Amino acid sequence: MIQKENIDKTRLPKHIAIIMDGNGRWAKKRGNQRVFGHKNGVKAVRDTVEGAAELGLKYLTLYAFSTENWKRPRTEIDALMSLLVATIHKETKTLMDNDVRLLAIGDLETLPKNVATQLSKTIELTSQNKGLSLVLALSYSSRWEIIQAVKAIALKIEQGEIQAKNIDKCIFEQYLNTQNFPDPELLIRTSGEYRLSNFLLWQIAYTELYFTNTLWPDFRREHLFEAILDYQCRERRFGQTSEQMSESINVNS
Ligand code: FPP
């Protein structure tokens, strides 16, 4: 197993995003209901968040519930929502103790009232924390996010506050839910699936992708460290050549 000590702390990604997948299969392998997998997924969330905070990561975004997940059986949705409320309530003290700030992205108005209330309470309570920002993507999808940004910009144009010819990357990003966060440098997906599932599609234009066969309930901080170490061995070129990248490193160092 990869040790934390092997990670170069001076080259940590600022933002890691995770598609937590495989809860259902994990439960099925054990002859259990899918909800059993989600409950065990919470243990993975706790350990990963602790590991991220311990390393000094700035942002960790977890895909906890997608817009498409509303199509799941009602019993599973209800169980997931109850689990969210219970977990956020139970973990608020741990977030405070570890200086973690909780944030959320997504169509939060569609969440059940008890989830929205608990979420806002914990977001408010942790708002002054300065360590890790833990971002929960809830009722989130990229296509929803991009369409709501387009609608908001169109309204500003109608009201004469923006001119269409002035719209650029910077203005567009101000209308995304992630407006205050850096783009993720690393995206992890568990469970051996090679898909992006409508997650942060705008923001991951130059993100390094890391896929692991580990099912989410088995994921622990060591798996996170392993992904970071893999990321640190990659060369990020942003459309430029290897030579250009090493020149700019030399100029800036
Ligand atoms: C994907 O596995 C997982 C989810 C849709 C839910 C993730 C939720 C948790 C880990 C619990 C609560 C989280 C927080 C942040 C408190 P899947 O059900 O699609 O698994 P499968 O692909 O094996 O069916």
Short mmCIF file of all heavy atoms in Angstrom, two decimals, residues 194-238:
data_model
loop_
_atom_site.label_atom_id
_atom_site.label_comp_id
_atom_site.label_asym_id
_atom_site.label_seq_id
_atom_site.Cartn_x
_atom_site.Cartn_y
_atom_site.Cartn_z
N TYR A 194 -15.66 3.23 -16.66
CA TYR A 194 -14.89 4.29 -17.32
C TYR A 194 -15.84 5.31 -17.95
O TYR A 194 -15.99 5.39 -19.16
CB TYR A 194 -13.96 3.69 -18.38
CG TYR A 194 -12.97 2.69 -17.80
CD1 TYR A 194 -13.29 1.34 -17.72
CD2 TYR A 194 -11.75 3.12 -17.30
CE1 TYR A 194 -12.41 0.44 -17.15
CE2 TYR A 194 -10.85 2.22 -16.75
CZ TYR A 194 -11.20 0.88 -16.68
OH TYR A 194 -10.32 -0.01 -16.12
N ARG A 195 -16.54 6.03 -17.09
CA ARG A 195 -17.50 7.03 -17.57
C ARG A 195 -17.41 8.27 -16.70
O ARG A 195 -16.93 8.21 -15.57
CB ARG A 195 -18.95 6.50 -17.40
CG ARG A 195 -19.42 5.53 -18.40
CD ARG A 195 -20.93 5.33 -18.22
NE ARG A 195 -21.26 4.70 -16.93
CZ ARG A 195 -21.24 3.40 -16.68
NH1 ARG A 195 -20.89 2.57 -17.63
NH2 ARG A 195 -21.55 2.93 -15.50
N LEU A 196 -17.94 9.38 -17.23
CA LEU A 196 -17.93 10.63 -16.45
C LEU A 196 -19.31 10.95 -15.87
O LEU A 196 -19.43 11.80 -14.98
CB LEU A 196 -17.41 11.79 -17.30
CG LEU A 196 -15.97 11.59 -17.76
CD1 LEU A 196 -15.56 12.65 -18.77
CD2 LEU A 196 -15.01 11.59 -16.57
N SER A 197 -20.34 10.27 -16.37
CA SER A 197 -21.69 10.35 -15.81
C SER A 197 -22.17 11.76 -15.49
O SER A 197 -22.69 12.01 -14.40
CB SER A 197 -21.78 9.46 -14.56
OG SER A 197 -21.49 8.15 -14.90
N ASN A 198 -21.95 12.69 -16.44
CA ASN A 198 -22.55 14.03 -16.30
C ASN A 198 -21.98 14.80 -15.08
O ASN A 198 -22.70 15.56 -14.44
CB ASN A 198 -24.08 13.86 -16.15
CG ASN A 198 -24.85 14.96 -16.84
OD1 ASN A 198 -24.29 15.98 -17.22
ND2 ASN A 198 -26.15 14.77 -16.98
N PHE A 199 -20.71 14.57 -14.77
CA PHE A 199 -20.10 15.18 -13.58
C PHE A 199 -19.04 16.21 -13.98
O PHE A 199 -18.06 15.85 -14.66
CB PHE A 199 -19.48 14.07 -12.73
CG PHE A 199 -18.97 14.52 -11.37
CD1 PHE A 199 -19.71 15.38 -10.57
CD2 PHE A 199 -17.76 14.05 -10.88
CE1 PHE A 199 -19.25 15.77 -9.32
CE2 PHE A 199 -17.30 14.43 -9.62
CZ PHE A 199 -18.04 15.30 -8.84
N LEU A 200 -19.23 17.45 -13.63
CA LEU A 200 -18.24 18.52 -13.79
C LEU A 200 -17.63 18.57 -15.20
O LEU A 200 -16.42 18.77 -15.35
CB LEU A 200 -17.11 18.34 -12.75
CG LEU A 200 -17.51 18.37 -11.27
CD1 LEU A 200 -16.30 18.07 -10.38
CD2 LEU A 200 -18.12 19.71 -10.86
N LEU A 201 -18.47 18.38 -16.22
CA LEU A 201 -17.93 18.25 -17.59
C LEU A 201 -17.18 19.50 -18.06
O LEU A 201 -16.17 19.40 -18.76
CB LEU A 201 -19.06 17.89 -18.57
CG LEU A 201 -19.76 16.57 -18.27
CD1 LEU A 201 -20.85 16.31 -19.30
CD2 LEU A 201 -18.78 15.40 -18.23
N TRP A 202 -17.66 20.67 -17.67
CA TRP A 202 -16.96 21.91 -18.05
C TRP A 202 -15.63 22.00 -17.31
O TRP A 202 -14.59 22.31 -17.89
CB TRP A 202 -17.84 23.13 -17.70
CG TRP A 202 -17.15 24.44 -17.90
CD1 TRP A 202 -16.29 25.06 -17.03
CD2 TRP A 202 -17.20 25.27 -19.06
NE1 TRP A 202 -15.82 26.23 -17.57
CE2 TRP A 202 -16.37 26.38 -18.81
CE3 TRP A 202 -17.90 25.19 -20.28
CZ2 TRP A 202 -16.20 27.40 -19.74
CZ3 TRP A 202 -17.73 26.22 -21.20
CH2 TRP A 202 -16.88 27.30 -20.92
N GLN A 203 -15.67 21.68 -16.02
CA GLN A 203 -14.52 21.91 -15.13
C GLN A 203 -13.37 20.93 -15.35
O GLN A 203 -12.25 21.19 -14.94
CB GLN A 203 -14.98 21.82 -13.66
CG GLN A 203 -15.99 22.87 -13.24
CD GLN A 203 -17.45 22.49 -13.56
OE1 GLN A 203 -17.72 21.60 -14.34
NE2 GLN A 203 -18.38 23.20 -12.96
N ILE A 204 -13.65 19.77 -15.99
CA ILE A 204 -12.58 18.76 -16.09
C ILE A 204 -11.88 18.76 -17.45
O ILE A 204 -11.24 17.77 -17.82
CB ILE A 204 -13.09 17.34 -15.75
CG1 ILE A 204 -14.20 16.92 -16.71
CG2 ILE A 204 -13.52 17.24 -14.31
CD1 ILE A 204 -14.55 15.45 -16.60
N ALA A 205 -11.99 19.89 -18.16
CA ALA A 205 -11.38 19.97 -19.50
C ALA A 205 -9.92 19.50 -19.49
O ALA A 205 -9.47 18.82 -20.41
CB ALA A 205 -11.50 21.39 -20.03
N TYR A 206 -9.16 19.85 -18.46
CA TYR A 206 -7.74 19.45 -18.39
C TYR A 206 -7.40 18.62 -17.15
O TYR A 206 -6.26 18.53 -16.74
CB TYR A 206 -6.84 20.70 -18.48
CG TYR A 206 -6.70 21.13 -19.92
CD1 TYR A 206 -7.46 22.19 -20.41
CD2 TYR A 206 -5.88 20.43 -20.80
CE1 TYR A 206 -7.38 22.56 -21.75
CE2 TYR A 206 -5.80 20.79 -22.13
CZ TYR A 206 -6.54 21.85 -22.61
OH TYR A 206 -6.46 22.19 -23.92
N THR A 207 -8.43 18.01 -16.59
CA THR A 207 -8.25 17.21 -15.36
C THR A 207 -7.63 15.85 -15.69
O THR A 207 -7.96 15.25 -16.71
CB THR A 207 -9.63 17.04 -14.68
OG1 THR A 207 -10.11 18.34 -14.34
CG2 THR A 207 -9.57 16.17 -13.46
N GLU A 208 -6.77 15.37 -14.80
CA GLU A 208 -6.24 14.01 -14.94
C GLU A 208 -7.28 13.02 -14.42
O GLU A 208 -7.85 13.24 -13.35
CB GLU A 208 -4.94 13.86 -14.14
CG GLU A 208 -3.80 14.74 -14.62
CD GLU A 208 -3.36 14.40 -16.05
OE1 GLU A 208 -3.37 13.22 -16.43
OE2 GLU A 208 -3.01 15.35 -16.79
N LEU A 209 -7.52 11.96 -15.19
CA LEU A 209 -8.54 10.98 -14.80
C LEU A 209 -7.88 9.73 -14.22
O LEU A 209 -6.87 9.26 -14.75
CB LEU A 209 -9.40 10.60 -16.01
CG LEU A 209 -10.01 11.77 -16.80
CD1 LEU A 209 -10.82 11.25 -17.98
CD2 LEU A 209 -10.89 12.64 -15.91
N TYR A 210 -8.46 9.24 -13.14
CA TYR A 210 -7.91 8.05 -12.48
C TYR A 210 -9.05 7.07 -12.19
O TYR A 210 -10.01 7.44 -11.50
CB TYR A 210 -7.23 8.47 -11.17
CG TYR A 210 -6.62 7.34 -10.38
CD1 TYR A 210 -5.30 6.94 -10.59
CD2 TYR A 210 -7.35 6.68 -9.39
CE1 TYR A 210 -4.74 5.91 -9.85
CE2 TYR A 210 -6.79 5.65 -8.65
CZ TYR A 210 -5.48 5.28 -8.88
OH TYR A 210 -4.92 4.26 -8.15
N PHE A 211 -8.94 5.88 -12.75
CA PHE A 211 -9.99 4.87 -12.55
C PHE A 211 -9.43 3.72 -11.73
O PHE A 211 -8.32 3.26 -11.98
CB PHE A 211 -10.50 4.36 -13.90
CG PHE A 211 -11.11 5.45 -14.75
CD1 PHE A 211 -10.36 6.08 -15.75
CD2 PHE A 211 -12.42 5.86 -14.54
CE1 PHE A 211 -10.93 7.08 -16.53
CE2 PHE A 211 -12.99 6.87 -15.31
CZ PHE A 211 -12.24 7.48 -16.31
N THR A 212 -10.20 3.27 -10.74
CA THR A 212 -9.76 2.13 -9.94
C THR A 212 -10.89 1.11 -9.88
O THR A 212 -12.07 1.48 -9.90
CB THR A 212 -9.35 2.58 -8.52
OG1 THR A 212 -9.20 1.41 -7.70
CG2 THR A 212 -10.36 3.49 -7.86
N ASN A 213 -10.51 -0.17 -9.77
CA ASN A 213 -11.53 -1.23 -9.67
C ASN A 213 -12.14 -1.31 -8.28
O ASN A 213 -13.15 -1.97 -8.08
CB ASN A 213 -10.90 -2.59 -10.02
CG ASN A 213 -10.64 -2.69 -11.51
OD1 ASN A 213 -11.32 -2.05 -12.32
ND2 ASN A 213 -9.62 -3.46 -11.88
N THR A 214 -11.50 -0.67 -7.30
CA THR A 214 -12.01 -0.72 -5.92
C THR A 214 -13.45 -0.22 -5.88
O THR A 214 -13.76 0.83 -6.46
CB THR A 214 -11.13 0.17 -5.01
OG1 THR A 214 -9.78 -0.26 -5.14
CG2 THR A 214 -11.57 0.11 -3.55
N LEU A 215 -14.33 -0.97 -5.23
CA LEU A 215 -15.72 -0.51 -5.09
C LEU A 215 -15.75 0.54 -3.98
O LEU A 215 -14.98 0.45 -3.01
CB LEU A 215 -16.63 -1.70 -4.74
CG LEU A 215 -16.67 -2.83 -5.79
CD1 LEU A 215 -17.51 -4.00 -5.29
CD2 LEU A 215 -17.21 -2.33 -7.12
N TRP A 216 -16.63 1.54 -4.11
CA TRP A 216 -16.58 2.67 -3.19
C TRP A 216 -16.56 2.27 -1.69
O TRP A 216 -15.74 2.81 -0.93
CB TRP A 216 -17.68 3.70 -3.48
CG TRP A 216 -17.59 4.82 -2.50
CD1 TRP A 216 -18.44 5.08 -1.47
CD2 TRP A 216 -16.52 5.78 -2.39
NE1 TRP A 216 -17.98 6.16 -0.73
CE2 TRP A 216 -16.80 6.60 -1.28
CE3 TRP A 216 -15.33 6.00 -3.13
CZ2 TRP A 216 -15.97 7.64 -0.89
CZ3 TRP A 216 -14.50 7.05 -2.73
CH2 TRP A 216 -14.82 7.84 -1.62
N PRO A 217 -17.39 1.33 -1.23
CA PRO A 217 -17.36 1.03 0.22
C PRO A 217 -16.00 0.53 0.71
O PRO A 217 -15.71 0.58 1.91
CB PRO A 217 -18.44 -0.04 0.39
CG PRO A 217 -19.37 0.20 -0.75
CD PRO A 217 -18.48 0.60 -1.90
N ASP A 218 -15.14 0.03 -0.21
CA ASP A 218 -13.81 -0.45 0.19
C ASP A 218 -12.75 0.65 0.09
O ASP A 218 -11.59 0.43 0.44
CB ASP A 218 -13.36 -1.61 -0.73
CG ASP A 218 -14.17 -2.87 -0.47
OD1 ASP A 218 -14.59 -3.09 0.69
OD2 ASP A 218 -14.38 -3.64 -1.43
N PHE A 219 -13.12 1.80 -0.44
CA PHE A 219 -12.14 2.88 -0.67
C PHE A 219 -11.74 3.49 0.68
O PHE A 219 -12.57 3.80 1.52
CB PHE A 219 -12.78 3.95 -1.56
CG PHE A 219 -11.81 4.89 -2.22
CD1 PHE A 219 -11.24 4.61 -3.46
CD2 PHE A 219 -11.45 6.09 -1.60
CE1 PHE A 219 -10.36 5.49 -4.07
CE2 PHE A 219 -10.57 6.98 -2.21
CZ PHE A 219 -10.02 6.67 -3.45
N ARG A 220 -10.43 3.67 0.86
CA ARG A 220 -9.92 4.28 2.09
C ARG A 220 -8.86 5.31 1.73
O ARG A 220 -8.45 5.43 0.59
CB ARG A 220 -9.27 3.21 3.00
CG ARG A 220 -10.27 2.24 3.60
CD ARG A 220 -11.24 2.92 4.58
NE ARG A 220 -12.24 2.02 5.14
CZ ARG A 220 -13.45 1.78 4.60
NH1 ARG A 220 -13.79 2.36 3.46
NH2 ARG A 220 -14.30 0.96 5.18
N ARG A 221 -8.37 6.05 2.75
CA ARG A 221 -7.42 7.14 2.47
C ARG A 221 -6.19 6.65 1.69
O ARG A 221 -5.65 7.38 0.88
CB ARG A 221 -7.01 7.86 3.76
CG ARG A 221 -6.16 7.07 4.71
CD ARG A 221 -6.00 7.80 6.02
NE ARG A 221 -7.22 7.71 6.82
CZ ARG A 221 -7.44 8.40 7.92
NH1 ARG A 221 -6.55 9.26 8.35
NH2 ARG A 221 -8.54 8.24 8.61
N GLU A 222 -5.78 5.39 1.94
CA GLU A 222 -4.61 4.86 1.21
C GLU A 222 -4.86 4.82 -0.30
O GLU A 222 -3.94 5.02 -1.10
CB GLU A 222 -4.26 3.44 1.69
CG GLU A 222 -3.68 3.37 3.10
CD GLU A 222 -4.74 3.54 4.18
OE1 GLU A 222 -5.95 3.39 3.88
OE2 GLU A 222 -4.36 3.86 5.33
N HIS A 223 -6.13 4.55 -0.69
CA HIS A 223 -6.47 4.55 -2.13
C HIS A 223 -6.37 5.98 -2.68
O HIS A 223 -5.95 6.19 -3.81
CB HIS A 223 -7.88 4.00 -2.35
CG HIS A 223 -8.03 2.57 -1.95
ND1 HIS A 223 -8.50 2.19 -0.71
CD2 HIS A 223 -7.75 1.42 -2.61
CE1 HIS A 223 -8.52 0.87 -0.64
NE2 HIS A 223 -8.07 0.37 -1.78
N LEU A 224 -6.77 6.94 -1.85
CA LEU A 224 -6.66 8.35 -2.26
C LEU A 224 -5.19 8.71 -2.45
O LEU A 224 -4.80 9.32 -3.44
CB LEU A 224 -7.30 9.25 -1.18
CG LEU A 224 -7.19 10.75 -1.41
CD1 LEU A 224 -8.15 11.19 -2.51
CD2 LEU A 224 -7.50 11.53 -0.13
N PHE A 225 -4.35 8.28 -1.48
CA PHE A 225 -2.91 8.59 -1.56
C PHE A 225 -2.31 7.96 -2.83
O PHE A 225 -1.48 8.56 -3.51
CB PHE A 225 -2.17 8.09 -0.32
CG PHE A 225 -2.65 8.70 0.99
CD1 PHE A 225 -2.42 8.05 2.20
CD2 PHE A 225 -3.32 9.91 1.00
CE1 PHE A 225 -2.86 8.61 3.40
CE2 PHE A 225 -3.78 10.47 2.20
CZ PHE A 225 -3.54 9.81 3.40
N GLU A 226 -2.76 6.73 -3.14
CA GLU A 226 -2.26 6.02 -4.32
C GLU A 226 -2.61 6.81 -5.59
O GLU A 226 -1.79 6.95 -6.50
CB GLU A 226 -2.94 4.65 -4.36
CG GLU A 226 -2.16 3.62 -5.10
CD GLU A 226 -2.74 2.22 -4.84
OE1 GLU A 226 -3.28 1.97 -3.74
OE2 GLU A 226 -2.64 1.40 -5.75
N ALA A 227 -3.84 7.33 -5.64
CA ALA A 227 -4.28 8.11 -6.81
C ALA A 227 -3.46 9.39 -6.93
O ALA A 227 -3.08 9.79 -8.03
CB ALA A 227 -5.76 8.43 -6.68
N ILE A 228 -3.18 10.03 -5.80
CA ILE A 228 -2.40 11.28 -5.82
C ILE A 228 -0.98 10.99 -6.31
O ILE A 228 -0.41 11.75 -7.11
CB ILE A 228 -2.39 11.96 -4.44
CG1 ILE A 228 -3.81 12.39 -4.07
CG2 ILE A 228 -1.42 13.14 -4.40
CD1 ILE A 228 -3.98 12.94 -2.67
N LEU A 229 -0.41 9.89 -5.85
CA LEU A 229 0.95 9.53 -6.27
C LEU A 229 0.99 9.26 -7.78
O LEU A 229 1.91 9.70 -8.47
CB LEU A 229 1.40 8.29 -5.50
CG LEU A 229 2.89 8.24 -5.27
CD1 LEU A 229 3.32 9.36 -4.34
CD2 LEU A 229 3.29 6.91 -4.65
N ASP A 230 -0.03 8.60 -8.28
CA ASP A 230 -0.13 8.35 -9.72
C ASP A 230 -0.22 9.68 -10.47
O ASP A 230 0.47 9.89 -11.47
CB ASP A 230 -1.39 7.49 -9.98
CG ASP A 230 -1.47 7.02 -11.41
OD1 ASP A 230 -1.96 7.79 -12.28
OD2 ASP A 230 -1.02 5.90 -11.68
N TYR A 231 -1.03 10.59 -9.95
CA TYR A 231 -1.19 11.93 -10.55
C TYR A 231 0.16 12.65 -10.59
O TYR A 231 0.50 13.31 -11.57
CB TYR A 231 -2.21 12.71 -9.72
CG TYR A 231 -2.15 14.20 -9.88
CD1 TYR A 231 -2.81 14.84 -10.93
CD2 TYR A 231 -1.43 14.99 -8.97
CE1 TYR A 231 -2.75 16.22 -11.08
CE2 TYR A 231 -1.36 16.36 -9.12
CZ TYR A 231 -2.02 16.97 -10.18
OH TYR A 231 -1.94 18.33 -10.32
N GLN A 232 0.94 12.50 -9.50
CA GLN A 232 2.22 13.22 -9.43
C GLN A 232 3.25 12.67 -10.41
O GLN A 232 4.27 13.30 -10.66
CB GLN A 232 2.75 13.19 -7.99
CG GLN A 232 1.89 14.03 -7.06
CD GLN A 232 2.47 14.22 -5.67
OE1 GLN A 232 3.21 13.38 -5.17
NE2 GLN A 232 2.11 15.33 -5.04
N CYS A 233 3.00 11.49 -10.96
CA CYS A 233 3.93 10.93 -11.95
C CYS A 233 3.56 11.33 -13.37
O CYS A 233 4.21 10.95 -14.33
CB CYS A 233 3.93 9.40 -11.88
SG CYS A 233 4.60 8.79 -10.35
N ARG A 234 2.46 12.08 -13.52
CA ARG A 234 2.00 12.43 -14.88
C ARG A 234 2.56 13.79 -15.30
O ARG A 234 2.83 14.63 -14.45
CB ARG A 234 0.47 12.48 -14.92
CG ARG A 234 -0.15 11.14 -14.56
CD ARG A 234 -1.62 11.20 -14.77
NE ARG A 234 -2.28 10.00 -14.22
CZ ARG A 234 -3.57 9.73 -14.38
NH1 ARG A 234 -4.33 10.57 -15.06
NH2 ARG A 234 -4.09 8.65 -13.87
N GLU A 235 2.66 13.96 -16.62
CA GLU A 235 3.07 15.26 -17.14
C GLU A 235 1.83 15.96 -17.68
O GLU A 235 1.16 15.43 -18.57
CB GLU A 235 4.09 15.10 -18.26
CG GLU A 235 4.60 16.43 -18.75
CD GLU A 235 5.38 16.32 -20.06
OE1 GLU A 235 4.95 15.57 -20.96
OE2 GLU A 235 6.40 17.01 -20.19
N ARG A 236 1.51 17.12 -17.13
CA ARG A 236 0.32 17.86 -17.57
C ARG A 236 0.78 18.91 -18.57
O ARG A 236 1.58 19.78 -18.24
CB ARG A 236 -0.38 18.49 -16.38
CG ARG A 236 -0.73 17.46 -15.32
CD ARG A 236 -1.58 18.04 -14.23
NE ARG A 236 -2.93 18.31 -14.68
CZ ARG A 236 -3.70 19.29 -14.19
NH1 ARG A 236 -3.20 20.11 -13.27
NH2 ARG A 236 -4.92 19.46 -14.62
N ARG A 237 0.28 18.84 -19.80
CA ARG A 237 0.81 19.72 -20.85
C ARG A 237 -0.16 20.81 -21.30
O ARG A 237 0.22 21.73 -21.98
CB ARG A 237 1.24 18.89 -22.06
CG ARG A 237 2.45 18.01 -21.76
CD ARG A 237 3.08 17.49 -23.02
NE ARG A 237 2.21 16.57 -23.73
CZ ARG A 237 2.13 15.27 -23.50
NH1 ARG A 237 2.88 14.73 -22.55
NH2 ARG A 237 1.31 14.50 -24.19
N PHE A 238 -1.42 20.70 -20.94
CA PHE A 238 -2.43 21.71 -21.29
C PHE A 238 -2.36 22.11 -22.77
O PHE A 238 -2.41 23.29 -23.12
CB PHE A 238 -2.29 22.96 -20.40
CG PHE A 238 -2.34 22.64 -18.93
CD1 PHE A 238 -1.19 22.43 -18.19
CD2 PHE A 238 -3.58 22.52 -18.29
CE1 PHE A 238 -1.25 22.11 -16.83
CE2 PHE A 238 -3.65 22.19 -16.94
CZ PHE A 238 -2.48 21.99 -16.21
#
